[in-house]
Amino acid sequence: MFAGFYKTYFSQFPNFGVTIDVYVHLHAFIATIWIFMLIAQPVLILNKKYLIHRRIGKLSFVVFPLLILSFIPRMITMSQAEDSWIIFYPLADCILLILFYSLAIYNRKTPTKHMRYMIAMAIVFLGPTIGRIGPHLLGWNDVLTQFIQYTITFLILLTLIIYDKFNNKEYKPYLIATIGFIVHMCVFYIIFVYY
């Protein structure tokens, strides 16, 4: 994520450009907290720190809505731009994040499902990361970048499905995640390729 956001955010520290306003800083701060929470939770489970895991889980009831709300100012700005269709990126990602988080919370008492929906949620963050590494560091256009992002996403999900299926584990959450990303991909190609 640092590599993805280096050129557009971190490299500007401490003299940020005019496009980096207080809302961008707020989004970066909340998203960073969320990423650390996503990393910490499985580590806590591995170390049998279940009470701390549950407390951080309850904290997510505050942090996650703030994360979603932090997207809104940027989406408003994007909707008023000449190339307003780029609002697809944060809007589509927010829909997937809300879907996977809701399913994870709904299944919080079924750890096998809960964990897999949280993994699916973490995969959503590949979008903004690869979406910046591609054009800003590697010179790829948007369509190529998105194609590579989808390829990586589907390879991860396919690997997880195959692993769980061969080990007789709960793989259906990954199937639901795959369907979500397929819809994401179809809408992207309709807007950016066929439109």
Side-chain angles (χ1 to χ4, degrees):
M1 291 196 83
F2 181 80
F5 287 88
Y6 177 75
K7 189 169 184 180
T8 58
Y9 187 76
F10 295 111
S11 68
Q12 298 183 37
F13 180 84
N15 301 310
F16 292 96
V18 292
T19 59
I20 308 294
D21 58 19
V22 67
Y23 298 112
V24 175
H25 290 305
L26 189 62
H27 174 69
F29 177 71
I30 296 169
T32 301
I33 290 172
W34 186 256
I35 294 298
F36 280 124
M37 287 171 69
L38 278 177
I39 293 167
Q41 289 294 68
V43 173
L44 290 168
I45 290 294
L46 282 172
N47 290 289
K48 303 190 185 322
K49 305 287 186 184
Y50 304 118
L51 181 60
I52 300 171
H53 177 87
R54 282 194 293 273
R55 286 180 179 164
I56 291 175
K58 288 178 182 173
L59 182 63
S60 80
F61 294 146
V62 174
V63 177
F64 183 74
L66 289 175
L67 174 68
I68 298 302
L69 288 172
S70 75
F71 280 92
I72 293 173
R74 188 71 183 135
M75 286 195 282
I76 291 169
T77 303
M78 289 176 167
S79 70
Q80 296 167 350
E82 187 177 325
D83 52 352
S84 59
W85 57 84
I86 62 171
I87 198 174
F88 162 81
Y89 296 110
L91 183 59
D93 288 349
C94 279
I95 290 168
L96 287 181
L97 288 172
I98 292 168
L99 173 66
F100 299 149
Y101 178 76
S102 300
L103 289 168
I105 296 305
Y106 179 78
N107 290 286
R108 67 188 179 279
K109 296 192 186 299
T110 311
T112 54
K113 290 183 179 179
H114 173 77
M115 175 192 75
R116 285 162 177 79
Y117 285 121
M118 292 306 289
I119 290 170
M121 187 180 195
I123 293 171
V124 175
F125 287 93
L126 286 175
T129 303
I130 296 170
R132 283 162 180 79
I133 290 173
H136 297 301
L137 297 181
L138 302 173
W140 299 339
N141 65 37
D142 286 344
V143 175
L144 175 60
T145 300
Q146 202 70 17
F147 173 77
I148 290 170
Q149 175 198 321
Y150 289 131
T151 301
I152 293 168
T153 297
F154 290 125
L155 283 174
I156 291 170
L157 287 168
L158 181 63
T159 302
L160 292 169
I161 290 167
I162 291 169
Y163 176 83
D164 279 355
K165 191 150 176 61
F166 277 110
N167 290 285
N168 294 317
K169 295 186 177 181
E170 178 66 69
Y171 64 90
K172 289 177 185 169
Y174 295 139
L175 288 177
I176 291 169
T178 301
I179 292 167
F181 281 106
I182 287 170
V183 172
H184 189 289
M185 180 180 68
C186 290
V187 174
F188 171 80
Y189 281 108
I190 288 167
I191 293 172
F192 289 89
V193 179
Y194 297 110
Y195 183 61

Short mmCIF file of all heavy atoms in Angstrom, two decimals, residues 2 22 51-52 55 130 136 169 176:
data_model
loop_
_atom_site.label_atom_id
_atom_site.label_comp_id
_atom_site.label_asym_id
_atom_site.label_seq_id
_atom_site.Cartn_x
_atom_site.Cartn_y
_atom_site.Cartn_z
N PHE A 2 2.00 1.18 0.71
CA PHE A 2 2.91 2.33 0.73
C PHE A 2 3.40 2.64 -0.69
O PHE A 2 3.41 3.80 -1.11
CB PHE A 2 4.10 2.07 1.65
CG PHE A 2 5.04 3.23 1.74
CD1 PHE A 2 4.76 4.32 2.55
CD2 PHE A 2 6.21 3.25 0.99
CE1 PHE A 2 5.61 5.41 2.62
CE2 PHE A 2 7.08 4.33 1.05
CZ PHE A 2 6.78 5.42 1.87
N VAL A 22 -7.99 18.23 3.94
CA VAL A 22 -8.19 17.60 5.24
C VAL A 22 -8.96 16.28 5.12
O VAL A 22 -8.72 15.34 5.88
CB VAL A 22 -8.88 18.58 6.23
CG1 VAL A 22 -10.31 18.88 5.79
CG2 VAL A 22 -8.85 18.04 7.64
N LEU A 51 -9.91 -12.37 23.67
CA LEU A 51 -10.57 -11.22 24.29
C LEU A 51 -10.20 -9.93 23.57
O LEU A 51 -11.07 -9.11 23.24
CB LEU A 51 -10.21 -11.12 25.78
CG LEU A 51 -10.87 -9.97 26.55
CD1 LEU A 51 -12.39 -10.10 26.51
CD2 LEU A 51 -10.35 -9.92 27.98
N ILE A 52 -8.91 -9.77 23.27
CA ILE A 52 -8.47 -8.55 22.54
C ILE A 52 -9.06 -8.56 21.14
O ILE A 52 -9.49 -7.52 20.63
CB ILE A 52 -6.93 -8.47 22.50
CG1 ILE A 52 -6.36 -8.41 23.92
CG2 ILE A 52 -6.47 -7.25 21.70
CD1 ILE A 52 -4.85 -8.53 24.00
N ARG A 55 -12.56 -7.37 21.38
CA ARG A 55 -12.62 -5.92 21.66
C ARG A 55 -12.32 -5.10 20.40
O ARG A 55 -12.99 -4.10 20.13
CB ARG A 55 -11.65 -5.55 22.77
CG ARG A 55 -12.14 -5.99 24.14
CD ARG A 55 -11.19 -5.63 25.23
NE ARG A 55 -11.71 -6.04 26.52
CZ ARG A 55 -11.00 -6.14 27.62
NH1 ARG A 55 -9.70 -5.85 27.60
NH2 ARG A 55 -11.56 -6.52 28.75
N ILE A 130 -3.10 -1.60 -6.32
CA ILE A 130 -2.65 -1.91 -7.69
C ILE A 130 -3.07 -0.80 -8.64
O ILE A 130 -2.35 -0.46 -9.58
CB ILE A 130 -3.19 -3.27 -8.15
CG1 ILE A 130 -2.62 -4.38 -7.25
CG2 ILE A 130 -2.86 -3.55 -9.62
CD1 ILE A 130 -3.26 -5.74 -7.44
N HIS A 136 1.07 4.85 -11.88
CA HIS A 136 2.05 5.81 -11.34
C HIS A 136 3.48 5.29 -11.29
O HIS A 136 4.42 6.05 -11.43
CB HIS A 136 1.62 6.26 -9.95
CG HIS A 136 0.31 6.99 -9.93
ND1 HIS A 136 0.09 8.14 -10.64
CD2 HIS A 136 -0.85 6.73 -9.29
CE1 HIS A 136 -1.15 8.57 -10.46
NE2 HIS A 136 -1.74 7.72 -9.64
N LYS A 169 -13.03 -27.78 3.87
CA LYS A 169 -13.32 -26.61 4.69
C LYS A 169 -14.39 -25.76 4.01
O LYS A 169 -14.76 -25.99 2.86
CB LYS A 169 -12.04 -25.81 4.92
CG LYS A 169 -11.02 -26.56 5.75
CD LYS A 169 -9.84 -25.70 6.09
CE LYS A 169 -8.87 -26.47 6.98
NZ LYS A 169 -7.71 -25.65 7.36
N ILE A 176 -18.98 -16.54 -2.90
CA ILE A 176 -19.76 -15.30 -2.86
C ILE A 176 -18.86 -14.10 -3.17
O ILE A 176 -19.24 -13.21 -3.93
CB ILE A 176 -20.45 -15.15 -1.49
CG1 ILE A 176 -21.54 -16.22 -1.35
CG2 ILE A 176 -21.04 -13.75 -1.31
CD1 ILE A 176 -22.14 -16.36 0.01
#
